[in-house]
Amino acid sequence: MTKLTIFWGERSDSTFYWYVDKPQEITSKAIPLLEEHEILKADLACLADIAMHSQVELVLPFNDVHFNQVELPNKAQRHLRKAVPFLLEEQLAESVDDVFIAVGERNKSGQTPVRAIELEYMNEIDAAFKEAEISLKKISIDLDNVDLNAEAATVVLIGEQVLFVDQENSRWGCNKLDFPWLIQKHLINDDEEDLPVAIPLNVVAKEALDFQLFEQSLPAGRFAANEVLIDSAYQYLAETKEESINLLQGDFEPKVENSPLRRLITKAAVIFAIVFTANLLYQGSMVFTLSAQAENLDSHKEVLWKQIFPRRKMPKNANRQIRSRIKALSGGKGDDAFLVMLESVTEKITDLSKLYPTNISYDASRNELRLDLIGNEYETLNAYRDTLTQAGFQVDMNSATERGEGYSSRFIVKK
């Protein structure tokens, strides 16, 4: 789906910047795109049509957000997160009742990242987007959207600001003029004996001149700066693959996503999909089984035809001819009686996968039908003998012998 990213700027700014990752999908729906990408916050509603067909993410600057991380025990983190505001109380200028705190997932170092923003400001943002009829999917911080590189530190130059992320995922931002002494302080906090002579540093900038000026401000001999030129810092941050913290938590979480009805519908849809898939698999297996049984029946039919009519080639309409012939010979004698008896005896075999004949012969002088049968179980042969007896036949059943995974026996059937 198309992603609409809105860079809100600082709280005091009157304008914001917007970016769509797939503009062709928007224009294909006959929705015009604005010519200007920087527009007034008062005109936010003009993006409503684009937002209706997009996932909207709002990006706030790090200057308006308090960055921190806390250590929480492994157990019952869901309940312990309620204590996070009080853990940050001494580090916040405002009262904990006047700030909104979003909590991220525990990182590899065992720390839980947190982001704090004035509650009044969050309410202002929420009211502005509701008035513009734009539903937000996510609110993130520009500094959190800088991709982590395990092999080099990363600096993003965006206007007069610098976003810094090192290999250990330590994140901070500042003004360009403050970066030289802040990076020195950052290096002092690390063990200088473990630091390489030239620390690899990727500098993401729009112009080569910006990179050159920034490189000149770096501490001499401490960094190996690598130039990474981009079309737009906003585009770079909008297309990030970094899993940033979503500030839409608690009271600001989208109600649609938190709706019990939606969860119920989702569960019902999942159950329906599972049942439907299982039914398709079952029907497919039944089709395969029936096809195999049909091939088996055709094979037995051909064997029986050759035994009954050894000099005639089996036609395509053999079933109809056999039924017609048996009906015409019903009640006959001699060879005709054989067909009558054969029909009466074989129609009692209802499932060829459990019981099937391997050889059939007929003694006209004794009026005896001899069948060599294989059953999947010994009880199947006994059940078939009892069925013939109940139908009025005299049945002599030879002792069954084990054959493969079944049992074989000869039946001598008289009327």
Side-chain angles (χ1 to χ4, degrees):
M1 189 175 182
T2 305
K3 178 183 174 183
L4 169 62
T5 307
I6 298 176
F7 293 87
W8 197 239
E10 296 186 10
R11 186 175 184 179
S12 59
D13 292 344
S14 60
T15 62
F16 68 90
Y17 185 94
W18 64 273
Y19 171 78
V20 172
D21 61 346
K22 299 175 183 177
Q24 65 278 5
E25 292 189 7
I26 297 296
T27 54
S28 65
K29 297 175 183 177
I31 300 175
L33 292 176
L34 302 178
E35 294 183 2
E36 296 293 332
H37 281 265
E38 186 174 356
I39 58 179
L40 292 172
K41 292 182 179 180
D43 295 331
L44 176 63
C46 65
L47 291 178
D49 291 337
I50 300 175
M52 187 180 301
H53 301 278
S54 309
Q55 288 187 348
V56 185
E57 178 177 348
L58 178 66
V59 179
L60 300 178
F62 70 91
N63 289 330
D64 291 329
V65 181
H66 173 76
F67 276 68
N68 213 320
Q69 54 185 7
V70 295
E71 186 172 351
L72 296 176
N74 291 329
K75 298 181 180 179
Q77 280 206 18
R78 182 178 179 182
H79 298 289
L80 287 173
R81 289 187 178 193
K82 297 178 181 179
V84 170
F86 303 99
L87 296 176
L88 299 177
E89 189 171 10
E90 295 182 357
Q91 304 178 42
L92 296 174
E94 302 86 356
S95 168
V96 292
D97 295 329
D98 297 330
V99 296
F100 171 77
I101 297 177
V103 183
E105 297 296 330
R106 178 192 295 268
N107 54 35
K108 294 181 180 179
S109 63
Q111 300 288 322
T112 301
V114 294
R115 305 291 181 258
I117 185 172
E118 286 188 23
L119 181 59
E120 182 183 357
Y121 186 31
M122 277 293 288
N123 287 324
E124 289 178 7
I125 294 173
D126 184 60
F129 278 84
K130 284 183 178 178
E131 183 179 355
E133 298 182 350
I134 296 178
S135 298
L136 290 174
K137 187 74 174 180
K138 184 178 183 179
I139 297 181
S140 62
I141 313 302
D142 54 5
L143 185 54
D144 284 331
N145 288 336
V146 179
D147 288 326
L148 173 66
N149 188 328
E151 298 179 355
T154 303
V155 163
V156 179
L157 306 181
I158 176 169
E160 295 301 317
Q161 303 298 324
V162 176
L163 308 179
F164 176 83
V165 179
D166 65 11
Q167 298 95 317
E168 303 300 324
N169 202 24
S170 175
R171 297 173 180 265
W172 49 270
C174 65
N175 188 278
K176 284 182 180 180
L177 299 177
D178 297 329
F179 184 81
W181 70 270
L182 285 175
I183 193 62
Q184 289 280 24
K185 181 180 178 181
H186 179 77
L187 294 176
I188 292 174
N189 292 334
D190 295 328
D191 189 350
E192 296 207 12
E193 294 182 358
D194 295 335
L195 290 175
V197 176
I199 303 171
L201 177 68
N202 294 330
V203 180
V204 182
K206 184 178 180 180
E207 303 290 345
L209 180 59
D210 294 335
F211 167 75
Q212 294 170 5
L213 294 175
F214 182 80
E215 185 181 24
Q216 294 172 4
S217 68
L218 295 174
R222 299 309 304 269
F223 291 95
N226 176 43
E227 181 183 44
V228 180
L229 295 181
I230 56 174
D231 295 332
S232 167
Y234 293 122
Q235 180 178 347
Y236 171 83
L237 295 174
E239 296 177 350
T240 179
K241 295 181 176 59
E242 192 71 21
E243 291 294 333
S244 56
I245 299 175
N246 188 357
L247 270 63
L248 291 179
Q249 300 179 13
D251 295 337
F252 296 100
E253 186 175 358
K255 298 300 184 291
V256 175
E257 295 181 2
N258 202 31
S259 169
L261 178 60
R262 183 181 178 85
R263 292 199 297 268
L264 179 62
I265 293 174
T266 302
K267 290 181 180 179
V270 171
I271 294 173
F272 173 78
I274 293 173
V275 173
F276 181 72
T277 303
N279 185 59
L280 283 180
L281 293 175
Y282 173 74
Q283 295 295 337
S285 64
M286 289 297 296
V287 170
F288 178 79
T289 302
L290 291 174
S291 298
Q293 290 181 354
E295 293 179 2
N296 195 19
L297 288 172
D298 288 339
S299 177
H300 286 294
K301 180 180 68 176
E302 186 174 356
V303 172
L304 292 175
W305 179 274
K306 290 180 178 180
Q307 290 179 349
I308 300 172
F309 307 108
R311 298 180 181 180
R312 291 177 57 185
K313 184 179 179 180
M314 187 177 71
K316 293 182 179 180
N317 60 347
N319 291 343
R320 187 172 60 183
Q321 290 192 21
I322 291 173
R323 285 194 295 268
S324 177
R325 180 65 175 167
I326 291 176
K327 185 176 180 180
L329 297 177
S330 180
K333 298 180 180 180
D335 291 339
D336 296 343
F338 160 66
L339 295 178
V340 175
M341 183 180 293
L342 179 64
E343 181 188 29
S344 301
V345 171
T346 56
E347 69 179 2
K348 303 295 187 297
I349 302 176
T350 57
D351 190 350
L352 288 175
S353 64
K354 295 181 179 180
L355 179 68
Y356 64 92
T358 59
N359 186 44
I360 298 176
S361 61
Y362 181 72
D363 190 339
S365 60
R366 296 184 179 182
N367 195 26
E368 290 181 351
L369 182 65
R370 299 176 181 178
L371 297 91
D372 292 334
L373 298 168
I374 293 180
N376 63 337
E377 295 180 356
Y378 185 78
E379 289 76 12
T380 305
L381 296 171
N382 288 336
Y384 181 62
R385 179 196 60 193
D386 296 338
T387 301
L388 293 178
T389 301
Q390 293 174 4
F393 292 98
Q394 298 179 11
V395 183
D396 292 331
M397 173 183 167
N398 294 348
S399 58
T401 58
E402 190 171 357
R403 182 173 177 180
E405 296 182 357
Y407 294 87
S408 173
S409 179
R410 168 166 286 190
F411 281 56
I412 301 176
V413 183
K414 298 180 182 180
K415 188 66 176 176

